Amino acid sequence: MMKVMSGNEAVALAVKLARVGVVGIYPITPQTTIIEELAEMRARGELSADIVRVESEHSAMAVTLGAAVSGVRSFTATSSQGLLYMHEMVWWTSGSRAPLVMVVATRAVGAPWNIWNENTDFMSERDSGWIMAFASTPQEALDLTLQAFRISEDPRVFLPVMVGMDGFILSHTKTNVFIPSQEDVDNFIPPRRQPYVIDPETKESMGNIFPPIYYMKLRQSIHEAITNSEEVIKEVGREYNKISPLGDYGTLNVSYKLDDADYAVVTMGAWSLDAMEAVDKLRENGLNVGLYRVRYIRPWSEKEIRENLGDKRAILVVDRATSLGRGGPLYLELKSTLNIPIKGVVTGLGGVSVGKRDFYSLISRFVEEARYSEVGGVEWYYPGEVKEVELGTPRTAH
Amino acid sequence: MSLEYQVFPVSTPAEGAGGKTGNWRTVRPVVTDRCIGCNACFLWCPEGTIGVVGRKAKVYYEYCKGCGVCANVCPVKAIEMVMEQ
Amino acid sequence: MESSLEIRFHGRGGQGVVTAANVLAEAASLENMFSSAFPIYGAERRGAEIESYCRISRTQIRETSPIEEPDVVVILDPTLLKISNPLRGLRKDGKVVINWKGASPSVGFKTYTVDATGIALELKLVKSGWPLVNIVMLGALVKATGVPSLESLKMAIGQEFSGNLGELNKRAVELSFERTFEVEQIVA
C-alpha cells in the first residue's frame, strides 16, 4: 500500500509493524512526532506496546534496555541533546549486547541552541559499538527500521541498531511511502531472539564487573560482531527486497552512475538525492561523475567502498557533520580506506540549506581542481545566500 | 559461521565465587554479653555478615572482613575487636 | 501539468499553511503522482509568517530543499504582500493564487483571486476566531493549475479530516473552485 507520510510517521508505523512490546521514550524536536504518533496508535488500540514516558533520555534508554534484556522487543528514539544526554546508556546497551532499535532524527548540538538538521549528533556515537544505518528518504526510514529489528536480533550480531534520518528534511517531509503488509513483516521478522534473558526467577545477572582480559574479550567480540554483521545486513536486505517492490537493499551502500565515472562524490542522507540531480546535470554537460551514498557507517564496508571507489581519479566527500579540528567524519573514514586523492567539504550545519545547485557548483569546481592539481584538505562551504548574512560583531573578553 | 566469537556480559553470582572475604581479616569482631540485640550492627555492616539471632548479635566469620564498623556503631560497646592469631 | 509542479504556500501560523501542503500532496498521490510536502521550521507560532512547500511530479522527487523558484505561489493572507515578499523567485510564467476580496491586486503575474475568508465565514469554518482558509485555497489552486482534480482533492480532505469538518471542507473547495477569478497578467 502507498501512503503519503512523513519520516517520523513512517518510523512509528515500522515500530507497529515490528510488533514492538516496549517503547521507553522522551520527546525532543524533531523526533517528537514519533512518540506522538505511537501514543495515538496506542490510544486508538492499534498498538499493544507499553509506552513508558520517562523523565529524560538517559532513563528512556535505561527502560528500553531493561525491557530488551528481559526478553521484549523494544524501541526508542531521540535527537541531538537527547542523544548526548543518553550517551552513557547508549554504550551500556551495546556493551550489554542487547538487541534493540533506536531512531535518531538528527539535529544540531548546542551551544548555541539550534533545532535544525545536522548529522553530528548521530555521527558522535560511531565508536559506541552499535550498528548504524542512515536513511535518505522517509521510505528508507521505514525500511531500515524494519530491517534493524531483524539484524539486531540475529545471533551473528546481537547488537543494538541505530537508524538515523535527517531532522525535518526527512522527519517532517510528507512523501509517498510504500508500506509492506503486516503478514509480510511477520514473516520477515522472526520471533524475538536474544543472547540471554534476565529473569528475577533465575540468578543470572548482567553487566557485573569484568576483569581486564574478559572485558577486552567482550570488546573484541563486539568488534567482530560488527564486522560480521556486513553479511547479515546484505542477507536481510535481500530478504526485505522480496516484500518491498522498491527495495534496493542487497548492498550496504548505494552507488549511482559510478561504473564509468572518473570522479565521485560521497554523501549520506537526504541530500544525496539533490546530489543525484546535480550528477545527472553534470553528466549532461560532459563531466564524467558519479555518486556513492553511505547507508551504513557501522559496519564500515571497506571492501564495498574499495570496489566502488578505489579506481576513481579523485573523490569529493560532503559531510553534514564535523569532527571539529579535523573535518567531516565521512571524509576521515574514507581517508583511512582509500589511497586516492580525497577532498572534504563540511556544509549544511545547523540547518544551512544545501540544494542541487550547490552540489552542481561544488562538484564541477572539484573536478576542475582535480584535473590539474592534487586535491585534498577540507573546505567549509557556505551557499551564496548564507554569505550575505550579517554576523554579529564578536565581543572580546574582558 | 561459528559463533565462538560472541561474548556476553552475563554472570551467575555464587556465594564465595570471588573467594571468602574472611581470608582478608586481621582483626575479628567478638560479641560480648553486653549485647542488647538492637540490630545497629546489622544495619551498618557493609557486608551483611552480622545480625541478631535470638536476642544476641552473631557474626558470619566466613565473609566478615573485620572492618570494625559494627564495633564502632554499637551503642553499648558490646563488640570487641580481637587480633586474629 | 508538465513533468513537475512546485508550489509555495504563504500564510500565518494558525491558518493551516502546513496542512494545506500536506493535503495537496496526498491528493496528488491519489492520482499516482509523486509528491512531497514540508514547511520551514523555526520560530513558528500563531500569527507569524509561515511558508510551506509542495512538489508534485510524474517522476521520483529528488529535491529536498525549500522551493526558491516556484511555479505557483498560494497566499492565504493578503496582508503578507505588504510586510514580506511572497512572490520572490516566482517563475516569469508563474501563477499567483491569492485570498482576496474585491478589485484584483496588480502583482505582475497571472493571478487567481478567491474570497477564501468569505467562504470560510459563510460555512462557519472558524476556529478561535480565525477563519480556516487553508483548504478553501486549495479549491482555487486546483482551478488555477488543474492538478490534481477536484475529486482527488475532496478524497484527500476526507482522509485528513473526519466527520463534519471533512464535509465542510469538501463543500468549501467546491465553492472556492466555482468562485475563483482569473486575472490576466497586467503588463506595466
Side-chain angles (χ1 to χ4, degrees), chain A residues 116 174-176 256 274 280, chain C residues 33 35-37 41 62-64:
Chain A
W116 295 284
K174 295 207 179 213
T175 184
N176 318 65
Y256 181 72
D274 301 81
D280 284 356
Chain C
M33 286 187 277
S35 56
S36 74
Y41 280 94
R62 297 196 298 195
E63 273 187 82
T64 62

Side-chain angles (χ1 to χ4, degrees), chain A residues 78-297:
Chain A
T78 191
S79 299
S80 180
Q81 317 296 132
L83 181 60
L84 267 57
Y85 194 28
M86 187 193 274
H87 184 66
E88 183 195 5
M89 295 312 295
V90 169
W91 287 63
W92 199 261
T93 302
S94 53
S96 302
R97 311 298 308 267
L100 59 83
V101 175
M102 167 161 69
V103 165
V104 176
T106 61
R107 162 182 153 183
V109 170
W113 283 119
N114 179 304
I115 61 158
W116 295 284
N117 183 36
E118 177 182 327
N119 306 150
T120 306
D121 52 354
F122 178 83
M123 292 301 242
S124 72
E125 296 295 347
R126 66 197 189 283
D127 290 340
S128 65
W130 283 55
I131 307 293
M132 297 173 74
F134 205 89
S136 67
T137 57
Q139 176 75 62
E140 209 175 28
L142 180 139
D143 297 343
L144 290 177
T145 304
L146 283 175
Q147 291 172 55
F149 285 104
R150 178 155 162 185
I151 295 162
S152 176
E153 294 173 13
D154 189 292
R156 291 164 289 179
V157 183
F158 279 156
L159 281 172
V161 180
M162 200 182 295
V163 177
M165 66 169 156
D166 293 282
F168 295 115
I169 297 174
L170 293 182
S171 68
H172 285 62
T173 294
K174 295 207 179 213
T175 184
N176 318 65
V177 175
F178 172 81
I179 306 157
S181 71
Q182 182 68 63
E183 192 191 347
D184 281 346
V185 173
D186 286 344
N187 290 329
F188 170 70
I189 306 178
R192 171 90 179 163
R193 288 177 293 181
Q194 60 186 92
Y196 58 91
V197 176
I198 297 298
D199 181 341
E201 296 299 313
T202 69
K203 278 188 181 170
E204 252 184 1
S205 68
M206 44 85 63
N208 279 334
I209 194 160
F210 261 39
I213 296 284
Y214 292 101
Y215 178 86
M216 186 164 160
K217 291 225 174 206
L218 175 71
R219 255 34 216 173
Q220 189 188 353
S221 171
I222 296 174
H223 166 78
E224 287 180 24
I226 292 177
T227 45
N228 289 342
S229 72
E230 210 176 309
E231 279 313 308
V232 179
I233 289 166
K234 285 190 226 172
E235 196 181 295
V236 169
R238 284 193 296 269
E239 286 295 311
Y240 190 81
N241 289 345
K242 292 179 191 165
I243 66 166
S244 181
L246 305 168
D248 64 338
Y249 299 101
T251 54
L252 268 74
N253 304 321
V254 179
S255 52
Y256 181 72
K257 300 193 174 174
L258 263 185
D259 288 348
D260 63 340
D262 297 324
Y263 302 95
V265 57
V266 181
T267 54
M268 185 180 92
W271 67 9
S272 308
L273 278 77
D274 301 81
M276 280 155 82
E277 289 278 311
V279 164
D280 284 356
K281 197 82 184 160
L282 287 157
R283 280 182 161 256
E284 274 174 31
N285 294 341
L287 280 193
N288 219 0
V289 295
L291 176 131
Y292 193 64
R293 174 162 71 83
V294 174
R295 188 157 55 194
Y296 279 89
I297 184 97

